[in-house]
Amino acid sequence: MYVNAAELAISEGLVAGYDEERGAYVVDEEAVKARLRALASKGRAVVDTHVISAVPPDLVDVVVVLRLDPRELERRLKARGYPPSKVLENVQAEILDACLIEAVEIFGEEKTYEVDTSGKSLEQVVEEVLEIIKERKGNKPGSVNWLEALGEEAYRYLAASAGTGSAGAA
């Protein structure tokens, strides 16, 4: 079974409100956690989410954090029409390993893997994720380092004002 936690939260009203500035719903993490626990009684599932704390840790076998070159992430989010503040927030979070760190803190390093999806097809990413799930082998936390890979460009993103949504405005 596949569960997209954001779609689940919206379709079942498991939201705490709407953030106008970010143009996004605020997930009721406890409500989503309870719903995922109920779904788990039906069998195994792959849960797709960036709200990691909404997933019950005792139900998790493996965590795969998908990573993406922050420049590509910025292009994709802008193309989707996200507000500049949300684009910048997501790019900065990617550079600083925010989801990866949270995953390790909640689920432990032994269960957590990361996959750099940059320049890969959907099929390549799925194959890599399935290999991790089956074999418990893959890139462990820390294998992707955007601060190192982007150099000074990473620091421009991190210094950028949330109001501009552009790394060049720093």
Side-chain angles (χ1 to χ4, degrees):
M1 170 176 24
Y2 169 81
V3 178
N4 181 308
E7 291 174 5
L8 176 75
I10 293 167
S11 69
E12 296 193 12
L14 308 175
V15 295
Y18 188 79
D19 184 330
E20 293 289 338
E21 183 180 332
R22 289 182 178 92
Y25 286 97
V26 177
V27 173
D28 180 337
E29 293 179 24
E30 291 306 313
V32 170
K33 192 178 282 188
R35 184 66 177 114
L36 289 174
R37 192 169 290 289
L39 288 172
S41 68
K42 296 180 180 180
R44 295 184 159 241
V46 171
V47 179
D48 177 353
T49 186
H50 68 278
V51 186
I52 299 166
S53 57
V55 180
D58 59 306
L59 300 179
V60 174
D61 294 327
V62 65
V63 176
V64 180
V65 179
L66 301 180
R67 308 298 304 274
L68 181 62
D69 184 310
R71 297 164 294 198
E72 178 61 24
L73 178 60
E74 180 181 35
R75 284 190 290 275
R76 288 183 188 183
L77 295 178
K78 283 181 175 179
R80 292 179 189 167
Y82 281 77
S85 62
K86 185 172 176 76
V87 172
L88 183 60
E89 178 181 20
N90 278 269
V91 169
Q92 289 173 336
E94 178 64 24
I95 291 169
L96 295 173
D97 304 333
C99 288
L100 179 67
I101 290 168
E102 187 176 15
V104 169
E105 287 174 349
I106 294 172
F107 304 106
E109 192 169 344
E110 65 283 350
K111 289 185 179 182
T112 306
Y113 298 83
E114 61 181 327
V115 172
D116 181 359
T117 65
S118 307
K120 295 178 182 174
S121 69
L122 176 61
E123 291 78 16
Q124 290 171 310
V125 173
V126 168
E127 187 176 307
E128 198 168 336
V129 169
L130 288 174
E131 178 77 15
I132 290 169
I133 292 169
K134 290 177 189 172
E135 304 294 327
R136 300 297 195 269
K137 294 179 186 173
N139 292 328
K140 295 304 287 176
S143 62
V144 176
N145 184 336
W146 296 124
L147 287 172
E148 184 179 293
L150 273 63
E152 287 299 314
E153 189 174 1
Y155 294 100
R156 285 194 301 275
Y157 277 110
L158 296 175
S161 165
T164 65
S166 171

